[in-house]
Amino acid sequence: MLDKIKDWHQQRIIDNSPYSLESWHKVAQDIDILNRLTQSELEQLIELAILLLHEKKIQGAQGLEITQRMKQSIALQACLPILNLGLEWYKGWSSIIVYPGSYFTKTSRTDEFGIVHEGHQHRSGEAWLRGPVILSWRDVKHAGARDGNNVVIHEFVHKLDMLNGRANGFPPMQKGMNPAQWTQIMEKGFADFQHNPKAGINSYGATNPAELIAVLSEVFFERPEVLQDAYPDIYQLMVEFFKQNPL
Ligand SMILES: [Zn+2]
């Protein structure tokens, strides 16, 4: 019953979307990785993207004006990982902040002696626990081109990972998945990737297990054959987790 009411409510939001279906298809056409979707998958993705834009506020930073096209491009790419999972996987937070380009951010790290190190770091995106997703538009624009880099997928996969607490490379499992198997395969992959960089996979994934699944998810959706080649068992886990098989 609750599901039925929700469906009706969501259908109303979709029917009242301010953007034409044609405009959604046009934006989708320019995102190369979406070309492998079937017609019905693409329609489902567009519906999810409409619901995402209804639920989350997208704001420009540093004077960046957010256009309709930018909103649609971000929403379509953001919803690809949850195409078969549903929007509730992005619950618990409400805003997306977009910078014109990569930006500098103050960082603070406490070392093992308790000394705090302040610094500046160049970033193209961030995802905060229960807070916003932050993206650089210049990086979003270049995402989706099947080169293995996709800042939107990267940051939104951190959000999936954060559904059960801090990002640690261990998101909530799907029904039927074995958490111990996930941990074992990911730990093995992480240990290997730290010592054996792979062509086509950003070495940033060696930072920690949370970055590894974010980086490998970019590759899974952008260049699935590269992930299948490098880590077939991780590829298989991701098929089960995302309930999609890009190959
Ligand atoms: Zn990251």
Side-chain angles (χ1 to χ4, degrees):
M1 186 61 191
L2 198 68
D3 265 1
K4 252 190 179 157
I5 294 171
K6 207 170 87 191
D7 284 351
W8 175 82
H9 177 64
Q10 290 188 333
Q11 194 55 50
R12 258 180 68 118
I13 295 166
I14 292 161
D15 293 343
N16 293 321
S17 162
Y19 309 143
S20 71
L21 202 56
E22 198 192 347
S23 70
W24 280 105
H25 280 283
K26 238 174 131 181
V27 175
Q29 263 168 22
D30 287 342
I31 303 170
D32 200 17
I33 51 168
L34 303 184
N35 291 333
R36 66 169 165 78
L37 299 182
T38 64
Q39 195 57 32
S40 74
E41 284 174 328
L42 183 59
E43 279 160 21
Q44 191 177 324
L45 184 71
I46 291 170
E47 291 196 353
L48 278 171
I50 291 170
L51 294 170
L52 184 83
L53 290 185
H54 180 82
E55 213 174 80
K56 317 285 184 203
K57 196 170 170 184
I58 303 193
Q59 292 165 287
Q62 294 176 344
L64 180 70
E65 198 192 318
I66 304 293
T67 64
Q68 171 186 336
R69 198 190 158 72
M70 288 158 114
K71 285 187 184 179
Q72 289 175 304
S73 176
I74 291 169
L76 285 169
Q77 296 182 69
C79 288
L80 184 59
I82 57 156
L83 178 65
N84 294 324
L85 306 183
L87 201 61
E88 56 278 12
W89 281 76
Y90 290 152
K91 71 182 176 200
W93 55 280
S94 60
S95 76
I96 299 164
I97 298 166
V98 189
Y99 281 80
S102 56
Y103 52 96
F104 281 96
T105 183
K106 260 194 181 157
T107 59
S108 168
R109 179 181 67 83
T110 309
D111 68 19
E112 68 259 51
F113 306 107
I115 299 165
V116 178
H117 298 267
E118 306 276 358
H120 284 88
Q121 217 178 41
H122 204 55
R123 297 239 171 113
S124 54
E126 281 171 85
W128 293 19
L129 186 64
R130 289 184 288 275
V133 167
I134 305 173
L135 299 166
S136 136
W137 175 247
R138 194 176 304 135
D139 293 87
V140 174
K141 228 171 32 183
H142 294 139
R146 292 188 200 255
D147 63 357
N149 297 307
N150 191 308
V151 68
V152 184
I153 289 173
H154 183 107
E155 301 307 336
F156 278 78
V157 166
H158 280 322
K159 279 294 186 189
L160 299 179
D161 190 359
M162 288 170 178
L163 256 184
N164 53 3
R166 289 172 73 93
N168 58 0
F170 189 82
M173 297 288 101
Q174 308 295 353
K175 230 187 220 155
M177 288 184 76
N178 177 351
Q181 190 198 25
W182 176 281
T183 305
Q184 187 212 344
I185 291 176
M186 286 298 178
E187 274 177 1
K188 204 175 120 219
F190 183 63
D192 176 76
F193 191 61
Q194 281 185 305
H195 303 290
N196 305 302
K198 302 276 187 287
I201 304 180
N202 192 331
S203 59
Y204 186 63
T207 310
N208 57 48
E211 294 308 337
L212 183 71
I213 72 155
V215 164
L216 295 187
S217 298
E218 296 177 66
V219 181
F220 178 76
F221 288 106
E222 289 245 340
R223 298 183 70 192
E225 68 288 352
V226 170
L227 183 61
Q228 166 72 31
D229 248 25
Y231 296 113
D233 39 3
I234 292 182
Y235 183 88
Q236 195 47 45
L237 277 186
M238 289 197 160
V239 167
E240 288 170 40
F241 176 71
F242 292 112
K243 299 185 180 172
Q244 293 184 58
N245 190 344
L247 281 178

